[in-house]
Amino acid sequence: MTSAPEPQTLSKTAPRFASVGSPYFGIMLACMAVVLILSNIGAAKGVIFGPIITDGGFFLFPLAYILGDVMSEIYGFKVARKAIITSFALSAFASLCYWIIIALPGFNDDYGTAKQAAIEGALGPVPQIVLASLLAFLAGQTINSLILVRMKARSGEKTLWARLMGSSGVGEFVDTLIFCSIAASVIGITDFGSFVNYVLVGFFYKVAVQYILVPVTSLVIGWIKKREPSYWV
């Protein structure tokens, strides 16, 4: 008669992940890429709420990290890394398209000239914003995903909330610091005080949104896990 495995043995089993065979991963990947591209456009505009300095993409970007958390938890680091690199490439492609659109010859009448100036003003700074966003996104999301997966290797299916909060805090700090350091001058931030404001507001806002939405993120993760046939194999 075999004895039951010791509790410590159970805790050391390999973490469970799903294979990419259902439509859920594709939907999340598409959403992540769209959120990143729209955030890059919005980030070209500086936004002020009283003493608070941020940019026009502030309300979108936390969604990319939430999607990254969901994919890392369900599919693992290698799959999440593919999603990060794919979103990175699509955002770079969008920036190339903006450059081509601006370079194309337009109409010479007053309306055409005004339209060209508006497009240049809206999309012209985007390449530098994209550079900032891509480097920040690549570093922050990779660290976020790696920490979450390593924490899962230790705790298994338990303490999901701790994985979501711990990985997001570190990933968002790295992301915000890199992005703000490169993008600040593009949106008109030139003095050190405003830069510190920009970094701190961006970091605390993004982390606060993700922490507030941890219960929702957990529910989404649980819902997808139940519907991913390969997760429980």
Side-chain angles (χ1 to χ4, degrees), residues 134-155:
L134 291 182
L135 294 178
F137 178 79
L138 187 62
Q141 277 282 14
T142 300
I143 291 172
N144 176 72
S145 178
L146 188 60
I147 290 175
L148 189 148
V149 170
R150 286 189 174 180
M151 291 179 70
K152 184 175 182 178
R154 294 182 178 181
S155 62

Side-chain angles (χ1 to χ4, degrees), residues 16-204:
R16 193 187 302 271
F17 297 111
S19 61
V20 187
S22 73
Y24 299 112
F25 173 74
I27 293 170
M28 288 188 284
L29 172 58
C31 290
M32 176 184 279
V34 170
V35 167
L36 181 59
I37 291 170
L38 291 178
S39 296
N40 291 338
I41 296 173
K45 176 180 178 179
V47 174
I48 298 178
F49 295 106
I52 297 174
I53 299 174
T54 183
D55 57 64
F58 78 95
F59 66 98
L60 276 170
F61 198 72
L63 296 177
Y65 268 81
I66 291 172
L67 289 166
D69 285 341
V70 175
M71 286 188 280
S72 299
E73 172 68 21
I74 297 174
Y75 301 103
F77 177 71
K78 290 183 179 179
V79 173
R81 183 175 58 188
K82 290 180 181 178
I84 294 167
I85 293 172
T86 301
S87 298
F88 179 103
L90 290 173
S91 188
F93 175 71
S95 182
L96 175 63
C97 291
Y98 302 148
W99 179 80
I100 294 173
I101 291 169
I102 291 172
L104 289 172
F107 295 159
N108 293 323
D109 58 6
D110 291 342
Y111 178 77
T113 302
K115 192 79 166 199
Q116 177 69 16
I119 291 175
E120 290 179 2
L123 300 181
V126 165
Q128 187 170 337
I129 294 292
V130 168
L131 174 64
S133 178
L134 291 182
L135 294 178
F137 178 79
L138 187 62
Q141 277 282 14
T142 300
I143 291 172
N144 176 72
S145 178
L146 188 60
I147 290 175
L148 189 148
V149 170
R150 286 189 174 180
M151 291 179 70
K152 184 175 182 178
R154 294 182 178 181
S155 62
E157 295 295 312
K158 299 178 181 179
T159 61
L160 173 59
W161 62 271
R163 294 197 293 278
L164 295 176
M165 297 178 76
S167 61
S168 296
V170 179
E172 286 287 16
F173 179 76
V174 173
D175 183 294
T176 304
L177 185 61
I178 293 174
F179 177 81
C180 293
S181 297
I182 300 173
S185 61
V186 179
I187 67 171
I189 295 176
T190 56
D191 63 277
F192 183 72
S194 297
F195 172 75
V196 172
N197 186 319
Y198 187 36
V199 172
L200 293 180
V201 168
F203 170 68
F204 285 115

